[in-house]
Amino acid sequence: RNMKILLTGATGFIGKRLLPLLIREGHEVVCLVREKRRFNVNPEIQKMIHVYEGDLLIKESLEQLPKDIDVAFYLVHSMSSSTKYEELEKISAENFCNTLSKTKVEQVIYLGGISNQDNLSKHLKSRKMVEEILKQGSFALTVLRAGIIVGSGSASFEIIRDLTEKLPIMICPKWVNTKCQPIAIANVLEIMIKVIGLKETYNQTFDIGGPDILTYKEMLLGYAKVRNLKRWIIVVPFMTPRLSSYWLYFVTSVSFNLAKSLVDSMKVQVVCKDLRIREIVEYEPISYEDAIRRALDRIEKDQVISSWHDALSSSNKNFRLSDFIEVPVHGCYKDIRKIKIKDRNKTIEKIWRIGGTTGYYYANFLWEIRGFIDKLFGGIGLNRGRTKQNEINTGDSIDFWRVLYANKEQGRLILFAEMKLPGEAWLEFKVDQDELHQIATFRPRGLLGRLYWYSILPLHEIVFRGMIHKIAE
């Protein structure tokens, strides 16, 4: 039967992919998001859903949620957003549980992590803690525990891709011999859809995994095989967890917080204890190599629906986009440039391709140096790239920028810097009929901020002048 479903984490990697499937199944969907401004979905889907703005960390903001919900998905995760994520996970789960217990919700579906070993990582302990909190609710709980989820845009897949594509020879810590049971994103979504309202899954916990049990080393080599790359992996026993975290942080697109949590988790075997779910829910398990092929095909066709990069937590900052949408005027330094253009549409197309594999049109090596310096100081660097090469939406990440405003018809794009800075920075493009405006704004923080601005003025002259001329060509 068709149901009224609450979807939390609707802007996340899983939630964004689950939403159109719920609509296709004929369900009425209520999305809970922290900021409506950065919730971008297909206009056809937008007409068919109800969107509520609320924060699971603020109990009062959840009171407006409808009381006639049948099923709810709990897909909220704080791992990469804070070093104290267990506290945030606990508050979120308790507020969710208390709020939902006042509704007529029958079933809650929670996607957790496989935790079959006694010595769990901090991350897996927090996932299990959330599970225990949700069990206290007045609803039936269905827990699906997954290990590595393989799909275009998943953090695990992006790490495997980054390492294998960039490094012909890998000096790896001994955790690469830890076993895990990866599962394709398509299988995860199929199972989630099929357990909706399925009474055999009420108050049950299921491990979900693919058909292959592999070590991380085998997963890296499996990716290399699909891509026809020759790769050598040398395992060393003396690489400390901290050193491993730095290694992941510098080579891949993950933040240091996330790298640390992942390294901690990679020491724990995540293999399914039982596969009862296959007796209850019918689905065709996708092999690891086929999951990699599917993900690469999506990337090649520029059809990546969602990426962990675009979650605000990937920035290592905790802020609302709306706090920065208005570029400040007072107390700021600005680099303002204008240039005549011949073709408005072509200029906008070039702006909409900025960053990622396209780069910044001029002196890209200087941008790469800036990205490397950012990494040295604990920032996110340029490794994050962008999810889609020709499409930009509010809330997306582009390298070390966050999209605050993107309106193609107006020809206006505002980016906010998430790099490590002694202040705050914006980069804005505005296209009139025959003129391109490029405005870099910096709001310094103290004396250090002012010194920073003046020290890089000569580089701005090279980079910003060259960039506007190339875009206008």
Side-chain angles (χ1 to χ4, degrees):
R1 69 187 176 95
N2 294 348
M3 302 199 185
K4 190 165 188 175
I5 295 179
L6 171 67
L7 180 62
T8 65
T11 58
F13 169 66
I14 302 282
K16 232 177 190 175
R17 293 174 188 230
L18 187 62
L19 177 57
L21 301 182
L22 293 172
I23 300 289
R24 195 176 71 193
E25 292 290 313
H27 298 298
E28 183 185 349
V29 185
V30 173
C31 295
L32 177 68
V33 297
R34 274 180 63 200
E35 282 189 89
K36 282 186 183 179
R37 282 195 63 256
R38 62 177 296 265
F39 182 56
N40 297 290
V41 291
N42 182 301
E44 288 306 306
I45 289 178
Q46 191 83 48
K47 292 177 199 167
M48 302 163 82
I49 59 176
H50 312 282
V51 184
Y52 288 84
E53 199 170 71
D55 189 335
L56 284 167
L57 293 169
I58 305 164
K59 197 175 175 182
E60 299 72 38
S61 71
L62 308 176
E63 288 170 2
Q64 57 177 328
L65 286 172
K67 301 288 184 279
D68 58 343
I69 293 162
D70 299 307
V71 174
F73 280 93
Y74 191 80
L75 303 175
V76 180
H77 208 354
S78 310
M79 185 169 78
S80 57
S81 61
S82 169
T83 48
K84 295 180 179 176
Y85 62 83
E86 314 104 292
E87 287 174 38
L88 302 179
E89 297 258 89
K90 184 174 185 287
I91 296 163
S92 292
E94 285 172 349
N95 287 343
F96 174 85
C97 201
N98 293 335
T99 302
L100 266 283
S101 293
K102 294 171 191 168
T103 70
K104 75 175 195 75
V105 69
E106 189 180 314
Q107 179 194 25
V108 167
I109 299 162
Y110 169 59
L111 183 63
I114 292 176
S115 46
N116 294 327
Q117 289 203 300
D118 295 331
N119 297 322
L120 294 177
S121 65
K122 187 175 157 187
H123 161 230
L124 288 171
K125 275 181 192 164
S126 80
R127 300 272 76 197
K128 203 167 180 184
M129 173 195 65
V130 168
E131 194 180 304
E132 294 306 318
I133 292 167
L134 296 179
K135 280 179 181 172
Q136 310 305 313
S138 60
F139 40 76
L141 181 67
T142 301
V143 179
L144 302 172
R145 292 174 171 176
I148 296 280
I149 296 176
V150 184
S152 54
S154 80
S156 310
F157 171 77
E158 294 297 340
I159 288 168
I160 290 164
R161 183 162 76 123
D162 276 348
L163 291 174
T164 318
E165 295 282 354
K166 290 175 184 176
L167 304 172
I169 300 170
M170 288 177 243
I171 311 293
C172 293
K174 58 187 177 189
W175 53 250
V176 292
N177 290 321
T178 306
K179 286 184 177 173
C180 57
Q181 196 164 351
I183 182 167
I185 180 67
N187 281 158
V188 174
L189 295 169
E190 191 178 357
I191 294 165
M192 289 172 94
I193 290 288
K194 287 183 174 175
V195 298
I196 294 170
L198 193 63
K199 289 195 162 49
E200 298 97 300
T201 68
Y202 284 14
N203 298 313
Q204 297 285 318
T205 298
F206 302 97
D207 290 347
I208 60 172
D212 306 306
I213 295 172
L214 305 165
T215 63
Y216 288 105
K217 180 179 177 179
E218 287 168 335
M219 286 170 70
L220 290 163
L221 293 173
Y223 178 96
K225 183 185 166 191
V226 171
R227 286 279 289 115
N228 292 317
L229 298 168
K230 283 275 183 204
R231 292 295 180 261
W232 290 268
I233 296 174
I234 300 158
V235 182
V236 293
F238 51 79
M239 200 181 274
T240 64
R242 191 161 188 85
L243 210 57
S244 299
S245 305
Y246 278 119
W247 179 68
L248 266 191
Y249 170 63
F250 275 106
V251 178
T252 72
S253 56
V254 296
S255 65
F256 185 68
N257 281 346
L258 185 53
K260 214 160 61 172
S261 298
L262 288 171
V263 166
D264 194 27
S265 294
M266 282 166 177
K267 291 179 283 182
V268 182
Q269 191 168 288
V270 280
V271 175
C272 299
K273 206 169 191 176
D274 70 73
L275 291 166
R276 286 179 303 126
I277 193 71
R278 291 188 193 173
E279 296 160 21
I280 299 167
V281 172
E282 201 178 308
Y283 70 97
E284 192 62 47
I286 298 164
S287 73
Y288 172 70
E289 286 187 14
D290 278 346
I292 293 288
R293 285 187 193 97
R294 287 180 179 216
L296 290 170
D297 186 52
R298 286 260 184 192
I299 292 162
E300 199 176 311
K301 292 175 180 171
D302 201 20
Q303 291 176 345
V304 182
I305 297 167
S306 62
S307 171
W308 77 276
H309 294 150
D310 294 330
L312 281 180
S313 57
S314 74
S315 67
N316 265 3
K317 290 173 186 275
N318 189 17
F319 66 93
R320 290 176 65 85
L321 292 182
S322 47
D323 294 342
F324 296 94
I325 182 64
E326 290 302 326
V327 181
V329 177
H330 304 293
C332 295
Y333 296 118
K334 288 183 183 278
D335 182 296
I336 301 170
R337 295 173 193 271
K338 297 177 192 176
I339 194 168
K340 292 287 179 190
I341 56 172
K342 288 177 183 171
D343 189 320
R344 182 178 189 271
N345 291 335
K346 279 185 181 172
T347 303
I348 291 170
E349 287 300 330
K350 284 180 94 170
I351 292 167
W352 251 247
R353 287 197 301 271
I354 202 163
T357 54
T358 303
Y360 293 84
Y361 296 107
Y362 189 79
N364 276 325
F365 72 96
L366 289 175
W367 288 97
E368 284 163 16
I369 290 168
R370 182 65 185 88
F372 179 70
I373 291 168
D374 194 48
K375 280 273 187 183
L376 285 178
F377 283 89
I380 50 181
L382 289 180
N383 288 359
R384 218 168 39 171
R386 50 182 289 173
T387 304
K388 294 195 174 179
Q389 297 313 306
N390 301 307
E391 192 181 308
I392 297 177
N393 290 304
T394 301
D396 285 359
S397 65
I398 296 177
D399 299 325
F400 44 37
W401 303 98
R402 180 71 57 179
V403 179
L404 292 182
Y405 185 82
N407 189 316
K408 214 167 181 179
E409 283 177 26
Q410 289 178 4
R412 190 169 181 227
L413 177 68
I414 304 175
L415 306 175
F416 178 68
E418 291 184 332
M419 62 191 92
K420 290 283 183 183
L421 287 168
E424 292 146 355
W426 292 257
L427 181 59
E428 183 177 359
F429 297 97
K430 283 192 290 191
V431 183
D432 291 334
Q433 287 309 314
D434 64 343
E435 199 169 49
L436 166 63
H437 299 244
Q438 178 186 284
I439 306 154
T441 302
F442 181 66
R443 181 161 62 188
R445 194 165 49 238
L447 180 62
L448 187 61
R450 287 165 174 77
L451 290 171
Y452 170 82
W453 175 261
Y454 287 113
S455 68
I456 59 167
L457 268 183
L459 291 176
H460 280 178
E461 184 56 34
I462 297 167
V463 170
F464 291 140
R465 183 164 56 94
M467 185 164 70
I468 195 169
H469 276 89
K470 285 288 182 186
I471 292 172
E473 273 179 7

